[in-house]
Amino acid sequence: MTESEQPSVPLSTLLADPALGLRQIAGPAGEHRVRVSTVGTTEIEDPTPYLVGGELLLTAGVRLPLEAEGIDTYVRQVVAAGVSALGFGVAPVHEEVPPELIAACDRHGLPLLRLPPATPFVAVGQAAYAAIAEARNRELREISRAQSALATAAARPDALRAVLAQLSAHTGAWAVLYDSQGTELFSAGPRPASPTPGRVRDLAVRTIARVRARTGPAGRAAPAAAADHQGGTHLTVHTLPGADGDGTTTTLALGQAATTAPTLVHRQVTGTATVLLALLTSPRHALGTDTHSAGALVRLMLGAAPAEVAPALARADTTEAERCWVVVHGRHTPPHSTQASCPGAHPGADPGGDPAQLATALGTPYLHVDGAELKALVPSAPDTRPEAPAQAADLGWVLGFSTPAPASDLPHADRRAARALRCAIAAEVPSVVHTEDPLTVHGLVPAADARELARTRFAPLDRAGAPGASVLLDTLRTWLTLHGSWDRTAATLHVHRNTVRHRLARVGELLDVDLQDAGVRMELWFALRWLPDGAVEADE
């Protein structure tokens, strides 16, 4: 997820809330263009080491410099740190906003809000996070509606035209499908004025040529993506494999032209459309399946159970007993130089390169990438040990693999893959495969006794209250995996280190143990390993 795609709300949303009573008294007009991604409170002289950008920074001016020069330095520093706006609470320290602060914010272009005495800082944060959550829910609903429309379109007799039409309707972009010669096969949406169509075609031809030069005309083409932005027009191209009548492989390309930059919603919708178009134009791509695979994906998106559609998605030459799946979880850890690791990447490309490239490396089109996180389903024989492709590590992905599992056991395989990913991150290795080795201490304790011991040991966590036993257990497991490191645990769970300390203190209190005791840690570690998958979720 890029910085511009972080969950945020316009500053105008908070200014329009009558319950807050906020008023902008300095800074540029047009506050609807200023977006707030978080709310922070500070009373220190230089808060910049603790800022990440996009904040509405609140202060009562306790340590605000007294002289105009110091105030100017303060404003200049927070602007350089990426603060979106500054909120000043009047009373009890200052009876009114200092005029020197107003002048500095006007000078440096920082929106300055006046908070009346009756408005607590906490109320501003609550309103901001509620608005961000609602905005995110709207995005998710929009993605869901678009995916449902695309799935329905893929089941129509004129599937290609229908999918392109839905893609254009939900992204606002002109969508066009080209063959390997740059011939326009289908298009949807208002056709842009010249020279935009020619620029899209040229970008598609160059991208297809790069793919074919890398793989050869008779080889399996690895999909690629490209983007261009000129004169307020945003162009994107995604290649997808196709099959000629004689069985050789050619490459098709999906092009888009829009007058606005693609949003997170547009990227998600385009990703779904790309997968559907790949299935519709190249039925035997990646898994070697027939046309039933496209229908199976449509059925799944329309509510069918995984076990019901799995046979149609698996290889046609496998028996029911051989139809297993490996679940993959991934975390992207960008190298020091993305351009150095991915020379062909566009400066605006998503983390980890194009999802289709990673899907090809894993050998599956069933891949979902959400910012720095991914999940994938890879078809596998029951007795095959998964292996991470070297290309995934080159793209900066750390992967966790489950062992092969039938479709009916996918929820357990999903949890095993998540645990394997946590182990890979903790060990700083490219990948980890979940294993159950009977030649360990776990094999010395009967399975039934081990599960009962684990349930009993963690039963007191049922009284935990918010955030719940499952969150406390996940925090404890991650902390133990990372050898008791507060900072690494906080980074892995995306929470503050004080949150980790608070959760573990609650665990120690409920279990009546001292987590600083090595013997206690060992006991809890084995109990966590023995705790049945889903036990906590079922108890809750």
Side-chain angles (χ1 to χ4, degrees), residues 333 393 397-400 420-433:
T333 55
W397 288 100
V398 178
L399 303 177
L421 175 60
R422 285 195 292 267
C423 291
I425 294 173
E428 299 182 348
V429 295
S431 65
V432 165
V433 178

Side-chain angles (χ1 to χ4, degrees), residues 457 513-526:
R457 192 69 187 89
V513 295
D514 179 9
L515 292 179
Q516 301 306 315
D517 187 309
V520 169
R521 295 192 195 189
M522 179 179 66
E523 175 194 355
L524 294 180
W525 176 251
F526 283 123

Side-chain angles (χ1 to χ4, degrees), residues 111-198:
L112 175 63
L113 311 185
R114 181 188 184 276
L115 277 69
T119 300
F121 285 6
V122 172
V124 178
Q126 290 176 337
Y129 297 135
I132 289 173
E134 176 56 29
R136 181 56 174 163
N137 287 336
R138 286 196 299 270
E139 289 181 344
L140 293 175
R141 290 194 294 268
E142 185 177 349
I143 291 172
S144 178
R145 287 194 296 268
Q147 290 178 334
S148 178
L150 287 168
T152 302
R156 290 170 53 95
D158 56 341
L160 292 177
R161 294 182 184 274
V163 168
L164 288 175
Q166 289 298 327
L167 175 61
S168 176
H170 287 278
T171 61
W174 178 58
V176 55
L177 189 65
Y178 295 104
D179 67 10
S180 58
Q181 304 302 315
T183 303
E184 186 176 314
L185 302 177
F186 305 101
S187 66
R191 189 179 185 88
S194 180
T196 297

